[in-house]
Amino acid sequence: MTVQFSLGSHAPESTATPVAVVGVYENGVLTSAAARMDTAADGVIKRLVEAGDITGKVGNVVTLLHPAGVAAARILIVGLGAQKTFDAARYQRVTTEAARAIGRLPVAEATSWLPEVDVPGRDAAWRLRVAALVTDHVAYRYTATVKPRDKAQPELASVTLVGPADGEAGIAEARAIAEGVRYARELGNLPPNICNPDYIADQARAFAEAHEGVTFESLDRADMEREGFGSLLAVARGSANAPRLVILQWNGGKEGERPYAFVGKGITFDTGGVSLKPGPGMEEMKFDMCGAAGVLGAFVAAVKLRLPVNLVCVVPAVENMPDGAAYRPGDVLTSLSGITIEVLNTDAEGRLILCDALTYTGKRFDPHTIIDAATLTGACVVALGKHASGLMTKDEALSAELLAAGEATLDRAWRLPLWDDYQSQLDSGFADVANIGGKYAGAITAGCFLARFTEGRRWAHLDIAGTAWDEGRKGLATGRPVPLLTQWLLDRVASAG
């Protein structure tokens, strides 16, 4: 269930709400809303600060039940940390902690004054958008294949965020982005026996049918054989689930205007193929289609926002399995571009489906810019961990645009080099290029491989292997990079206007 958000301008002490959220800094300074609550409640908050019950440290949350003098049933007091070092990342963290605390309470509604907190360099619309997005993210529950929980405790359904009227745009953006993030998370979280290539195609078709201005296409195996998708189809050979190339178009811009294009890696399950992965942790390879989920989610957000752009979203959806027909190390494939590829490892399959999808996208749509997203390499996780996506491009302006979008949304990326110096690692004695570059710089050589299929194009690659899902048996898809990609589109609209 998506949380409903509204903008409010209520006085904190007189607002009747199941839970009112306010903040306190580490040095005992109360925010404006907290101070008004404290005055109305005869100083109860300051007394708890003086007693040490409220520390103001980040993550410290104290709930007051039925405080005298205020209309709220509860006051949720969230620690903001040191006031002098408060910044955007801290704001995201404290709003997340507040959302988690609300989720533990038996309430369906809440009102938060945290968006009134000053964040250096960020306006009210940003504060409202972040508060809404993190609240919806925390409130998400995966239920598709889980026995329904006891409904005795209500789930959070609506949140009023208090802020100025000029911040309404932030909430409107949050509603759309939250829908896109949930769309991506749900696809990512579904088990691979449900979310296979046909399922992704069906979900894309259903979205197109429900939204005016969106068109849907899907190429099947026969279509791709006629086109010459030799690299993509090789990866698909070992699976009983047929491959699909899913294409969504949003025609919100001027007729004839070159579109922006998103391409997402859609390996719905990755065993590694003949180069079989280790068994422990292989269940997480259902998340290997999170690049596809991410670009589809960004497409959903763009449509919900009715952005005045033309946008195409291309998803190569394939399952990588080993059987008697599976492709092998040593095979030489002929890609859609005509470039031949020596397979040295069948577990480097994402680039093999992406290269054909990128070629097809460039030739058919001639886009203004192509951005691909892929859970491409474990090497990127080693380099950047779980916090930043890897960004690779030869276009300086595009790099700056994407990094800025990541900073604006806190869905951050970090640029890795895409120098020609690395290309020699992909040399092959039997084909034009090998599909892996050896032991070193694995994330970069994967990007260098894709660069060979995007020459002459304004293109960037996002390696989201570290950011697309949380590890562990209960880890969920994160929905990244939906916020980054949506912000990048919003910025393009703003710069054009």
Side-chain angles (χ1 to χ4, degrees), residues 399-487:
S399 173
E401 291 168 7
L402 289 166
L403 291 173
E407 288 296 330
T409 56
L410 302 178
D411 179 8
R412 294 183 290 185
W414 189 259
R415 191 178 184 185
L416 297 172
L418 201 61
W419 301 333
D420 289 341
D421 309 57
Y422 293 98
Q423 287 286 1
S424 61
Q425 291 179 231
L426 296 169
D427 287 348
S428 167
F430 301 95
D432 299 324
V433 63
N435 79 323
I436 59 172
K439 181 178 179 181
Y440 300 111
I444 295 168
T445 54
C448 286
F449 177 92
L450 296 177
R452 297 194 182 208
F453 300 86
T454 54
E455 288 187 7
R457 300 272 174 200
R458 189 172 192 257
W459 160 78
H461 164 57
L462 288 170
D463 192 328
I464 60 170
T467 57
W469 77 92
D470 298 318
E471 290 181 320
R473 290 183 60 192
K474 294 185 179 181
L476 296 173
T478 63
R480 296 176 70 180
V482 172
L484 185 158
L485 292 175
T486 309
Q487 183 64 50

Side-chain angles (χ1 to χ4, degrees), residues 109-331:
E109 302 173 19
T111 304
S112 176
W113 280 264
L114 290 181
E116 291 189 324
V117 175
D118 181 59
V119 182
R122 311 288 181 161
D123 62 13
W126 182 91
R127 299 194 302 270
L128 288 160
R129 187 173 80 171
V130 168
L133 284 174
V134 300
T135 302
D136 191 76
H137 199 277
V138 170
Y140 169 84
R141 297 290 182 270
Y142 173 77
T143 60
T145 56
V146 179
K147 183 180 178 181
R149 297 190 307 167
D150 183 3
K151 294 293 185 179
Q153 179 165 315
E155 293 185 3
L156 186 65
S158 65
V159 174
T160 300
L161 300 171
V162 179
D166 60 5
E168 177 64 46
I171 290 184
E173 290 172 359
R175 291 189 189 108
I177 296 170
E179 283 203 50
V181 168
R182 279 181 174 258
Y183 190 95
R185 296 185 81 187
E186 194 68 11
L187 283 176
N189 290 329
L190 284 168
N193 59 317
I194 294 176
C195 186
N196 56 32
D198 279 342
Y199 183 87
I200 290 177
D202 289 342
Q203 292 301 299
R205 180 188 294 107
F207 181 80
E209 290 173 350
H211 294 84
E212 185 179 355
V214 179
T215 61
F216 164 83
E217 292 177 72
S218 177
L219 304 189
D220 61 17
R221 190 192 303 271
D223 296 326
M224 288 186 276
E225 285 174 349
R226 283 192 295 271
E227 293 279 354
F229 282 71
S231 184
L232 184 155
L233 291 173
V235 178
R237 282 205 316 250
S239 175
N241 288 306
R244 294 281 185 179
L245 189 79
V246 177
I247 304 160
L248 286 172
Q249 293 183 71
W250 163 246
N251 302 306
K254 298 176 183 177
E255 187 175 351
E257 194 172 53
R258 294 171 72 193
Y260 299 112
F262 293 157
V263 178
K265 173 187 170 185
I267 298 292
T268 58
F269 192 75
D270 182 21
T271 64
V274 171
S275 305
L276 193 67
K277 291 178 179 290
M282 194 192 287
E283 70 280 358
E284 293 187 17
M285 287 301 97
K286 70 175 186 177
F287 294 118
D288 209 20
M289 42 65 66
C290 281
V295 298
L296 287 167
F299 185 91
V300 167
V303 172
K304 294 293 183 179
L305 287 165
R306 311 295 293 179
L307 291 184
V309 298
N310 293 329
L311 177 64
V312 60
C313 182
V314 178
V315 170
V318 176
E319 190 175 53
N320 185 25
M321 299 287 284
D323 82 348
Y327 79 127
R328 298 150 292 224
D331 283 359

